[in-house]
Amino acid sequence: MKRLNIIQFLPYFPPHKGGLETHAKQFGEKYRENNFGDVINIITDFDQKDKISKENQITFEGKSIGYIEKGVENLIVPSFEIISNFPMYKIWSKEYKLIKQYLKTKKTDIVITRTRFFLTSLIGGLFARKNNLKWCHIEHGSDYVKLNSKFKSFIAKIYDKIIGKWIFKKADKLVGVSNACKDFVQKEFINKKVEVIYRGMQFDLKSNEKVENLKESYPGKIIVGFIGRLYKWKNIDTLIKAYYDLDENIKDKIQIVVVGEGEDFERLNKIDTENKLQGELQSKRKHPGVYFTGGKSFQEAINLQKQFDIHFHTSSPGGGLATTLLQAMNLGCFIVSTPYEGAKEVVEDNKNGILLKNDSLKELKKGLIAGINSLDKKENYSRENKKIIETKFNWNENIKKYYNLFNR
């Protein structure tokens, strides 16, 4: 079997939280485990401070440039965010120049970039072209970027049409992490073949890491949970408004729990507070409000998610295939979901969950009511969801699909 060595240019990397991050990390580990070749990750320095030790560090010309984890090399580039969630390597830094020198000592066959909107994809693509390497771009997005103003979103779309289109045009192979990504690329950018290869699922369901017992904190309540980074396009504000729009007798049965952190936190907190005060004035009753847990580690978040009676996938169009939705399916949560972020590829209405028509207030409110009234189906839906995860999202099978693609 021919070994094919890979360099991945990545915007973020665990413990930074996100589906792209875990996909890239687990991809590298599984690729190497299967002896398909070596993997080097070029990563930004966000949340990487504590990852280097004397035992695992990589040194070159007397300088520490990264660390090895599970046989994969992670080379750390000093970086900054131009705006929130838009990272950039400091390509002028001594550290980056040293890393480029180090890469010249390595035999590389393929460069991988992820999500066309990140500048790391542009840098990785230019590196591939300059060094005459094959370039595979993996797309995790299924819509244009939506920022907190129409003007910023307009500028982002122009950027996308120039830089994003160049990436799709110049990459040797395009892969979508879902059919939603494939359709977006082919409809909005370029009529070119896009392979669809799903990720694998890999996390510890039996961790002993202690977290709050939600059933003890909210006795007698149905826990309706969201988990993920708090972006505008995750549409959590609509879930909050839908909750407060419920009749009092239904609202009393529910506790909304939001696990995560992000730039939308303050806005969401304000929406919750305003709706809570208005509801209390109208009903003259106290409301518990939405419980925001704040940022949690990957395993803490999973241990909270295990306790959800209903996992509500609230997203608007944008992402590829939400890892947190797949986690919820594997954990046995009852699923209520908008069709976006690849959800309609894994959730079939009234077969393994409730699939809404869109991300509107009306639909999310309908989803809350339907979820509460359908919890008797939770066990049957859970069995269906586990079958889907086992067949479609097996890392060992899906990593072979990547290798076969590269080998062609």
Side-chain angles (χ1 to χ4, degrees):
M1 182 177 67
K2 183 182 178 183
R3 286 171 56 86
L4 298 169
N5 298 330
I6 288 171
I7 297 176
Q8 294 194 96
F9 284 79
L10 304 173
Y12 294 110
F13 197 72
H16 192 279
K17 302 177 188 73
L20 183 153
E21 291 91 313
T22 58
H23 188 301
K25 182 176 187 291
Q26 292 169 14
F27 170 96
E29 291 169 359
K30 287 297 177 183
Y31 191 86
R32 195 175 184 284
E33 276 178 27
N34 282 270
N35 201 33
F36 293 144
D38 295 328
V39 177
I40 297 174
N41 295 325
I42 312 299
I43 62 177
T44 51
D45 59 356
F46 303 105
D47 300 328
Q48 299 301 315
K49 185 178 178 181
D50 299 326
K51 297 297 290 284
I52 300 178
S53 67
K54 288 182 179 179
E55 292 75 27
N56 70 2
Q57 71 174 332
I58 301 167
T59 58
F60 181 65
E61 295 186 357
K63 302 285 185 181
S64 176
I65 59 171
Y67 61 93
I68 297 176
E69 187 175 38
K70 295 188 176 179
V72 176
E73 296 188 34
N74 302 303
L75 307 182
I76 302 172
V77 182
S79 306
F80 68 105
E81 288 184 321
I82 297 172
I83 58 173
S84 180
N85 199 45
F86 191 63
M88 172 66 178
Y89 302 141
K90 293 181 180 178
I91 55 176
W92 56 87
S93 65
K94 292 179 181 178
E95 291 87 347
Y96 183 68
K97 290 174 182 176
L98 192 62
I99 285 171
K100 285 206 298 182
Q101 290 296 318
Y102 177 74
L103 293 177
K104 289 179 181 178
T105 70
K106 298 288 184 175
K107 181 186 178 300
T108 304
D109 300 288
I110 296 158
V111 168
I112 289 178
T113 57
R114 293 173 179 267
T115 302
R116 85 282 167 196
F117 194 73
F118 290 119
L119 283 168
T120 49
S121 291
L122 175 62
I123 293 168
L126 291 171
F127 179 89
R129 287 291 156 262
K130 184 178 179 181
N131 292 281
N132 198 29
L133 298 170
K134 294 296 183 183
W135 174 17
C136 173
H137 177 76
I138 301 174
E139 186 54 43
H140 293 252
S142 61
D143 203 349
Y144 293 107
V145 176
K146 292 178 177 65
L147 301 173
N148 56 11
S149 76
K150 288 184 178 179
F151 177 72
K152 288 180 181 178
S153 296
F154 174 70
I155 296 300
K157 189 171 183 178
I158 292 174
Y159 170 96
D160 235 353
K161 286 294 188 180
I162 298 169
I163 304 299
K165 189 171 184 177
W166 182 86
I167 287 168
F168 292 137
K169 184 178 179 181
K170 295 297 182 181
D172 297 298
K173 294 288 183 182
L174 297 178
V175 175
V177 299
S178 68
N179 281 300
C181 298
K182 172 186 174 180
D183 294 343
F184 172 59
V185 172
Q186 292 180 332
K187 179 183 176 184
E188 297 293 334
F189 291 93
I190 192 168
N191 184 19
K192 186 175 177 179
K193 186 174 182 180
V194 181
E195 306 275 351
V196 175
I197 304 177
Y198 291 120
R199 66 168 297 151
M201 291 305 298
Q202 177 182 312
F203 58 92
D204 182 9
L205 295 176
K206 299 177 182 179
S207 169
N208 294 321
E209 197 163 350
K210 290 188 177 180
V211 294
E212 177 182 2
N213 188 318
L214 297 174
K215 290 295 184 181
E216 288 182 1
S217 299
Y218 301 100
K221 297 282 189 179
I222 295 168
I223 306 298
V224 179
F226 166 89
I227 178 172
R229 193 163 177 85
L230 309 186
Y231 297 132
K232 184 179 179 182
W233 58 269
K234 290 292 186 179
N235 198 38
I236 309 152
D237 55 338
T238 307
L239 174 62
I240 295 170
K241 292 169 186 174
Y243 163 70
Y244 283 108
D245 205 36
L246 295 169
D247 292 339
E248 290 297 327
N249 64 322
I250 302 174
K251 196 187 301 177
D252 285 344
K253 297 177 182 179
I254 298 172
Q255 177 58 50
I256 304 289
V257 176
V258 174
V259 181
E261 59 189 346
E263 55 267 35
D264 217 22
F265 174 75
E266 288 185 11
R267 187 177 74 91
L268 294 171
N269 223 326
K270 185 179 179 183
I271 290 169
D272 176 52
T273 301
E274 288 174 351
N275 278 274
K276 180 181 175 184
L277 290 173
Q278 187 177 358
E280 288 176 349
L281 284 171
Q282 289 173 348
S283 65
K284 296 182 180 178
R285 302 170 58 184
K286 284 281 185 184
H287 286 300
V290 173
Y291 175 38
F292 294 92
T293 70
K296 298 292 179 183
S297 71
F298 181 73
Q299 198 59 55
E300 285 174 329
I302 286 175
N303 286 351
L304 286 167
Q305 191 179 21
K306 284 180 190 178
Q307 303 176 55
F308 295 174
D309 296 301
I310 297 172
H311 172 89
F312 210 127
H313 177 76
T314 58
S315 292
S316 298
L321 183 54
T323 306
T324 52
L325 173 59
L326 301 178
Q327 287 172 191
M329 292 169 66
N330 207 16
L331 291 166
C333 304
F334 187 95
I335 306 297
V336 178
S337 177
T338 67
Y340 307 119
E341 263 197 309
K344 66 181 180 181
E345 297 173 41
V346 292
V347 180
E348 187 175 339
D349 194 34
N350 292 320
K351 182 179 180 183
N352 64 325
I354 293 172
L355 186 67
L356 307 177
K357 293 177 182 177
N358 53 50
D359 58 347
S360 66
L361 175 65
K362 180 182 176 181
E363 281 294 296
L364 266 65
K365 183 180 174 182
K366 186 176 84 172
L368 284 169
I369 296 168
I372 294 165
N373 293 333
S374 304
L375 281 175
D376 59 322
K377 300 176 182 177
K378 183 178 178 183
E379 192 173 329
N380 289 337
Y381 287 1
S382 176
R383 282 197 292 269
E384 287 296 320
N385 284 325
K386 285 188 181 295
K387 287 179 190 174
I388 292 168
I389 296 298
E390 287 169 4
T391 54
K392 279 190 175 182
F393 299 94
N394 181 303
W395 255 132
N396 285 327
E397 291 302 316
N398 291 343
I399 204 68
K400 288 176 188 174
K401 294 177 183 178
Y402 273 106
Y403 174 77
N404 291 334
L405 176 68
F406 301 153
N407 203 28
R408 291 202 298 270

